[in-house]
Amino acid sequence: MIGLISATAAGALARDRLATAWPGRTRVYEGPVADAVRRAFGECEQVVCCLATGAVVRILAPLLSDKGTDPGVVCVDEGARFAVSLVGGHAGGANALAREVADVLGASPVVTTATDAAGIPGLDTLGMPYEGEVAGVSRALLDGEPVGLVAEVPWPLPALPFTVGEPGASDAALVRVSDRLVPPADGDAVVPQVVLRPPSLVAGVGGSRGVPVDEVEGLVRDALRDAGLSVRSLAALATVDAKATEPGITGAAARLGVPLLTYCADELAVVTVPNPSDAPLAAVGTPSVAEAAALIGGGELLVPKRKSVRADGSPAMATCAVVRRAARGRLAVVGLGPGARDLLTPRAKDELRRASVLVGLDQYVDQIRDLLRPGTRVLESGLGAEEERARTAVAEARAGHAVALIGSGDAGVYAMASPALAEASDDIDVVGVPGVTAALAAGALLGAPLGHDHVSISLSDLHTPWEVIERRVRAAAESDLVVTFYNPRSRGRDWQLPKALGILAEHRTPTTPVGVVRNASRPDGSTRVTTLAGLDPEAIRSVDMMTVVTVGNTATREIAGRMVTPRGYRWQEEPK
Ligand code: SAH
């Protein structure tokens, strides 16, 4: 029962609207307000007070005992513009009630508990069929309690709350990812469980002309059930082209709610199967239809060919075989931005929470470790192991995992995306998440240095011969491009930056603005605007591998301490 209390005429109006909207669910408490609130709190599961939060807090404070058992309390303001979840947000259901109240009154729900405010995805947003104790598991998710994740089938999952991870003793709920009907015996699990059904199963089917829908559908369902498999994990039926319009087969696919995949006989004939036979060879030109069509995409044969059984004992008209296909892995190449947490994009955060495997340089992993779900496998390595990191990330994705390969700034800029994608084949999904690259982070600090055509050049000659770098610097100098130097200088590489600046100086005046930004967006960051002439040997010694150097073009000016490159030469007067 929901207790309703109001004090003013406007409050009574809101109260009555709720009572009318929810017949049988509410009880109006009249009389002196404080007394009414106390009685409702003692007698109802939930209370809506059309009263100031302050008043309700003072009245209820002495009565609060345990957030697990106290009623949920929602306050509605005088203008009925807000429904505030005051106490008992989760167990008391006040968060949900605030939303319901808001719906009825056309108000905004105000929910201040962390997990709700952070937009924890509901089970229904995970994009997979699920079953089990949904309410209990959802509550644990919303409460931010630890939830164990048991992936019996490795399958890339959508972004999960960071409370979901490796199973542990304190779990308040369990999420299984499985295509099996019965969980493996796990002792006396008492926490609520849901099972997510990945689309992992393919049923190959064959059928004689005129096979009834019931016979095909029944055979597929029986084959799955007898093997202990869930029909909700069925991703597709598969058969030979010649059966693409056989009504019994297309009808079964429709009833099962899955697509029908068809392959030509020649493709199926070359698939190695345990139970080839002559009949289909004669009829459609391949020694196997059901097994071959199920196995053609690879995977594990869980149910070898079986035939339908007809009530009247007549010959079977349908065959079926079931394969668990390998999960299609996912490789997310994620740029973390220059360092500051608020320059990490929401999409990057999602990908990190989605990953079951994280691959990256140890110092970048440290930057985002708190965003990972517990149980995320972290494969970190030190500087220099780029190729190995790329190979590892791709191999893990091929094994069916959701992998995040991280890099600072943008992962495609002098970073991991290219070595990884050079390794990757088309059997995995690849997504790139752009990040704020150092040139942009530095540009924002310097002013507007990149307002016209610009180029980035890495001065690292570890992978690129110096002649090539020099040729590019010269080309940039001659074509009057703004230049940002990445990897400008390290202990072992100290002559390249002066050399490159020298080349630019052949084409630009000594007063050309130069920006030097170290550790952009990080707490110890520094930004300096100087000139080509001002960047003397001593200034150059302060440049290191945490720095980018941006050199203006012939139109770039220092204005009020900021570096500004005009967008064009025509529409703007030459600044004085
Ligand atoms: N993928 C990175 C670049 C990697 S190359 C990106 O997109 O930013 C490494 C070089 O990037 C460093 O030597 C330095 O020149 C530059 N860099 C990276 N982060 C930086 C930061 N926060 N501030 C200044 N320069 C940075």
Side-chain angles (χ1 to χ4, degrees):
M1 190 59 66
I2 304 174
L4 302 178
I5 299 104
S6 63
T8 64
L13 224 56
R15 176 198 70 188
D16 292 345
R17 279 164 68 196
L18 294 173
T20 313
W22 300 329
R25 261 182 87 189
T26 62
R27 177 165 157 203
V28 173
Y29 284 77
E30 315 247 26
V33 166
D35 183 51
V37 172
R38 276 188 221 108
R39 278 188 292 132
F41 191 79
E43 294 169 10
C44 298
E45 289 81 50
Q46 295 178 320
V47 183
V48 178
C49 301
C50 302
L51 299 168
T53 53
V56 178
V57 166
R58 283 174 203 290
I59 296 165
L60 288 182
L63 304 180
L64 295 174
S65 67
D66 181 341
K67 72 169 179 179
T69 54
D70 281 343
V73 179
V74 170
C75 286
V76 176
D77 67 302
E78 182 75 2
R81 285 181 304 146
F82 303 104
V84 183
S85 168
L86 192 67
V87 292
H90 293 310
N95 291 349
L97 183 62
R99 294 198 180 91
E100 283 192 83
V101 170
D103 267 354
V104 172
L105 300 179
S108 305
V110 179
V111 172
T112 57
T113 40
T115 46
D116 270 28
I120 296 302
L123 289 167
D124 52 350
T125 64
L126 298 183
M128 276 185 204
Y130 56 91
E131 63 211 36
E133 295 156 90
V134 176
V137 174
S138 301
R139 175 156 314 142
L141 286 171
L142 286 175
D143 278 350
E145 298 194 79
V147 173
L149 179 70
V150 182
E152 287 161 33
V153 180
W155 205 267
L157 298 173
L160 295 169
F162 60 81
T163 47
V164 179
E166 205 159 76
S170 56
D171 288 343
L174 204 62
V175 174
R176 281 172 58 219
V177 183
S178 178
D179 50 23
R180 297 212 156 270
L181 288 173
V182 186
D186 54 356
D188 44 8
V190 287
V191 296
Q193 261 195 39
V194 293
V195 189
L196 301 180
R197 298 299 189 188
S200 52
L201 305 175
V202 176
V205 290
S208 317
R209 178 163 315 145
V211 62
V213 181
D214 283 343
E215 186 164 342
V216 178
E217 184 195 358
L219 175 62
V220 171
R221 288 189 184 274
D222 289 350
L224 291 169
R225 196 196 43 238
D226 294 351
L229 298 168
S230 170
V231 69
R232 301 181 109 175
S233 275
L234 188 65
L237 295 190
T239 191
V240 65
D241 276 345
K243 300 292 174 186
T245 57
E246 181 64 40
I249 291 180
T250 55
R255 283 200 200 162
L256 291 161
V258 296
L260 176 65
L261 312 174
T262 62
Y263 303 96
C264 71
D266 292 349
E267 288 178 281
L268 296 180
V270 297
V271 178
T272 310
V273 298
N275 301 296
S277 74
D278 292 337
L281 187 59
V284 290
T286 165
S288 167
V289 173
E291 288 183 346
L295 276 169
I296 194 165
E300 181 192 357
L301 185 65
L302 300 180
V303 181
K305 179 174 77 176
R306 59 181 270 180
K307 297 179 176 174
S308 50
V309 177
R310 315 198 86 208
D312 61 2
S314 56
M317 292 184 78
T319 56
C320 170
V322 180
V323 161
R324 178 183 288 143
R325 44 180 195 170
R328 192 174 163 85
R330 175 186 171 90
L331 175 64
V333 186
V334 181
L336 301 181
R341 179 53 63 86
D342 58 355
L343 291 180
L344 175 73
T345 65
R347 191 180 296 188
K349 279 188 199 164
D350 269 1
E351 284 299 343
L352 296 175
R353 281 192 297 124
R354 188 170 189 152
S356 60
V357 180
L358 183 89
V359 182
L361 189 64
D362 40 18
Q363 71 198 63
Y364 301 149
V365 176
D366 286 340
Q367 206 173 310
I368 46 83
R369 204 180 292 273
D370 61 305
L371 296 175
L372 301 176
R373 292 185 292 114
T376 304
R377 201 145 46 86
V378 178
L379 307 174
E380 44 194 320
S381 42
L383 262 176
E386 276 84 20
E387 311 259 291
E388 186 206 315
R389 271 202 294 285
R391 256 197 305 279
T392 305
V394 171
E396 291 287 343
R398 275 206 189 117
H401 298 294
V403 181
L405 175 63
I406 57 171
S408 84
D410 183 277
V413 177
Y414 308 121
M416 293 303 300
S418 355
L421 298 200
E423 293 281 328
S425 38
D426 62 5
D427 56 352
I428 58 173
D429 292 327
V430 174
V431 286
V433 180
V436 177
T437 187
L440 300 184
L445 291 166
L446 292 168
L450 308 183
H452 206 278
D453 301 336
H454 54 273
V455 68
S456 291
I457 297 180
S458 167
L459 292 184
S460 168
D461 51 5
L462 290 180
H463 299 289
T464 311
W466 175 255
E467 302 76 68
V468 174
I469 299 174
E470 186 172 325
R471 183 145 35 94
R472 291 182 182 177
V473 175
R474 205 168 286 289
E478 285 163 2
S479 45
D480 200 26
L481 292 165
V482 176
V483 184
T484 300
F485 291 116
Y486 281 68
N487 301 307
R489 186 173 173 274
S490 69
R491 229 172 296 139
R493 283 189 303 107
D494 57 1
W495 55 264
Q496 287 86 345
L497 179 61
K499 173 92 186 168
L501 292 171
I503 295 169
L504 290 175
E506 290 168 21
H507 298 265
R508 299 178 197 184
T509 65
T511 56
T512 302
V514 175
V516 180
V517 179
R518 181 167 193 279
N519 272 335
S521 93
R522 302 204 177 116
D524 53 347
S526 67
T527 302
R528 197 152 69 91
V529 178
T530 173
T531 60
L532 270 179
L535 212 58
D536 54 29
E538 197 194 331
I540 283 181
R541 271 196 293 280
S542 73
V543 171
D544 63 10
M545 282 298 276
M546 308 309 299
T547 310
V548 283
V549 177
T550 297
V551 181
N553 66 15
T554 51
T556 305
R557 294 287 176 273
E558 185 186 323
I559 299 172
R562 302 184 191 98
M563 206 171 151
V564 181
T565 303
R567 267 207 61 200
Y569 302 103
R570 290 180 186 209
W571 50 269
Q572 195 173 29
E573 260 184 294
E574 184 73 3
K576 289 166 267 304

